[in-house]
Amino acid sequence: MSPFTYRGGELHCGPVSLRDIAAEAGTPVYVYSASAILERFLAYERAFADAPHLVCYAVKANGNLAVLKLLADAGAGFDIVSGGELFRVLKAGGDPSKVVFSGVGKTADEMALALRHGIHSFNCESLPELELLSQVASSLGSRARVAIRVNPDVDAATHPYISTGLRQHKFGIDIDQVERTYHKARLLPALLVEGVSCHIGSQILDTTPIEEAAAILLTLVEKLRAQGFAINALDLGGGLGVPYQAGQQRPEISAFAGALRRLASGAGLTLMVEPGRSIVAEAGVLLTRVLYRKSGAAKEFVIVDAGMNDLIRPALYQAHHEILPVAEAPAAILADIVGPVCETGDFLAHARSLPDLHPGDLLAVATAGAYAFAQASNYNSRPRPAEVLVEENSFRIVRRRETYDDLIRGETVGCAVR
Ligand code: LLP
């Protein structure tokens, strides 16, 4: 159940009033429910409980330190795609031995950092990457555990920008070439080639394609084992979608995990998953305040203090986020909800039925716990919003609002280097 519900006509996060949060933290502000995040992580843990497994939360979805700490304390592993994400995980007290490093463009420095901290494994996506990793590991006198990310050529049936498992995508190694790559990787001295991985896309509402990919990978595992590879882990990436819109079906974590467990039963593999969105998306809202109403020639506009720099998903993926008035009232207008940024693409929602809003009224942009603050920028020199975590009946600011000084940190009008 969503942690965001109306109590006495006012939207709350659990027992905490969003109006109180806005009064204390200002707007725009991201609000996350700790219990909702934990509930989703524990749903994954429960669903895989009777099989060897590792649930690695995808840090890219929401890397706030308090969110990571919550998950680290609950025993989560982490899926990272940069040295910066590893830095965050370590700062939050995450266990490096449960960290998997994904991504197509790891640098030697990032590899070295991860090796020095003894991460679980690397998901590698090309032969040159495998060669570099072996060199870096050799130079540190260590060995890197690797899985090769397979591109299984399966259509995830999601938005094209977040679909990653087709032949034409930059991700993974083509299923038809991957055995050759395993053989080449085996010859590299500082690698332990122990896993098979894939990630076919994100916001997947029908999980059949992930199960299809799993079946393809399991066949590969059999072939590799027959050729003497000691494969002990199968990582199926993330991808489980969430309902952004009324009427969308939610794929159940337990059913999804059950299908994977059945497919892999008896294979003697540690099952790994890298969920991001399905853990945090529904646990968050972006709280914004109405600045102005404006009746255009063709449309009604509600201008709010959050823009595309704060939440780029509508502009970038035509994503739908429900807009909820904090004060419950019947719908009276049909309006576009737009931000202050100087682009027509700066909108949070188009043609929504909302109450008769006035300057100062609060709106909550729903399902904003994932890929929301994480993709925020300072475009138009707008300080990024604060982030608040609600725990039981209290809340705390877990990232203060940026200041103008934050905007220019690191910049200089100083002299040329040479
Ligand atoms: N593992 C890998 C290797 C990934 O690339 C991703 C997401 C995940 C796991 C986590 O996937 P999830 O469980 O969250 O679907 N910015 C986009 C989403 C980009 C997803 C990128 N990769 C959005 O706002 O929809």
Side-chain angles (χ1 to χ4, degrees):
M1 204 189 76
S2 170
F4 299 97
T5 52
Y6 287 98
R7 293 182 176 211
E10 289 246 330
L11 196 58
H12 283 60
C13 177
V16 178
S17 146
L18 292 183
R19 182 176 302 283
D20 290 351
I21 293 177
E24 177 75 26
T27 55
V29 59
Y30 279 98
V31 180
Y32 311 125
S33 156
S35 60
I37 294 172
L38 275 180
E39 187 193 305
R40 286 317 197 80
F41 169 69
L42 295 174
Y44 272 100
E45 277 297 329
R46 272 195 306 275
F48 285 106
D50 56 2
H53 69 278
L54 186 55
V55 179
C56 295
Y57 166 69
V59 175
K60 64 169 82 65
N62 184 331
N64 182 283
L65 284 187
V67 170
L68 299 184
K69 165 113 175 49
L70 203 63
L71 291 166
D73 289 350
F78 295 94
D79 166 54
I80 59 161
V81 290
S82 68
E85 287 190 350
L86 178 54
F87 176 75
R88 282 185 175 278
V89 167
L90 297 171
K91 283 279 177 205
D95 177 353
S97 75
K98 293 182 182 173
V99 167
V100 55
F101 196 164
S102 302
V104 288
K106 305 173 190 79
T107 66
D109 284 349
E110 289 176 321
M111 291 170 177
L113 182 72
L115 285 165
R116 276 199 295 270
H117 285 283
I119 68 161
H120 180 274
S121 55
F122 294 79
N123 287 340
C124 294
E125 306 210 21
S126 66
L127 185 59
E129 182 196 337
L130 288 157
E131 287 166 348
L132 180 62
L133 181 58
S134 181
Q135 272 173 32
V136 174
S138 291
S139 72
L140 293 173
S142 69
R143 296 186 86 185
R145 281 220 297 265
V146 304
I148 295 183
R149 176 166 171 182
V150 180
N151 182 324
D153 197 29
V154 167
D155 188 354
T158 182
H159 190 281
Y161 288 5
I162 55 175
S163 175
T164 50
L166 286 173
R167 192 153 273 174
Q168 61 266 31
H169 297 143
K170 69 177 175 180
F171 297 100
I173 297 181
D174 196 279
I175 183 72
D176 293 336
Q177 297 172 10
V178 77
E179 277 179 67
R180 251 182 296 156
T181 311
Y182 269 93
H183 282 279
K184 288 183 178 159
R186 177 150 68 173
L187 301 175
L188 294 169
L191 300 188
L192 296 165
V193 185
E194 295 183 345
V196 172
S197 75
C198 78
H199 168 79
I200 62 165
S202 193
Q203 182 54 11
I204 297 171
L205 290 170
D206 171 2
T207 57
T208 318
I210 309 184
E211 291 157 29
E212 233 175 273
I216 293 172
L217 264 60
L218 282 161
T219 307
L220 175 67
V221 169
E222 272 175 39
K223 284 191 195 164
L224 292 170
R225 282 177 167 170
Q227 295 163 57
F229 287 91
I231 302 295
N232 58 28
L234 177 65
D235 181 346
L236 292 160
L240 226 63
V242 300
Y244 280 92
Q245 225 163 323
Q248 270 178 340
Q249 274 291 6
R250 169 207 309 287
E252 286 303 331
I253 291 170
S254 55
F256 169 64
L260 297 184
R261 278 203 338 256
R262 273 192 298 282
L263 278 168
S265 74
L269 291 163
T270 296
L271 282 180
M272 297 169 67
V273 283
E274 304 166 358
R277 189 189 316 263
S278 51
I279 291 183
V280 288
E282 291 165 277
V285 296
L286 170 60
L287 205 50
T288 180
R289 206 177 275 284
V290 176
L291 296 175
Y292 306 106
R293 281 278 295 275
K294 180 167 163 172
S295 297
K299 277 180 164 185
E300 183 71 15
F301 294 102
V302 175
I303 302 169
V304 297
D305 64 2
M308 67 189 292
N309 71 296
D310 304 303
L311 178 66
I312 202 173
R313 301 195 72 259
L316 192 56
Y317 316 109
Q318 300 76 48
H320 179 103
H321 287 260
E322 295 288 344
I323 309 280
L324 307 171
V326 168
E328 200 173 20
I333 60 167
L334 188 70
D336 283 11
I337 316 303
V338 299
V341 171
C342 302
E343 298 213 21
T344 302
D346 177 31
F347 63 90
L348 297 175
H350 283 144
R352 294 298 174 82
S353 293
L354 286 164
D356 190 21
L357 295 164
H358 300 285
D361 286 349
L362 289 167
L363 295 173
V365 185
T367 331
Y371 304 110
F373 184 91
Q375 297 192 105
S377 78
N378 291 125
Y379 186 42
N380 276 207
S381 284
R382 288 168 49 81
R384 285 180 296 174
E387 293 175 286
V388 160
L389 188 68
V390 174
E391 285 170 300
E392 301 189 356
N393 54 8
S394 67
F395 68 91
R396 64 196 163 98
I397 294 174
V398 291
R399 190 181 213 274
R400 64 160 173 78
R401 184 176 308 286
E402 285 180 340
T403 63
Y404 289 157
D405 278 327
D406 290 327
L407 291 179
I408 57 167
R409 180 146 300 130
E411 290 182 35
T412 172
V413 290
C415 45
V417 174
R418 18 173 232 163

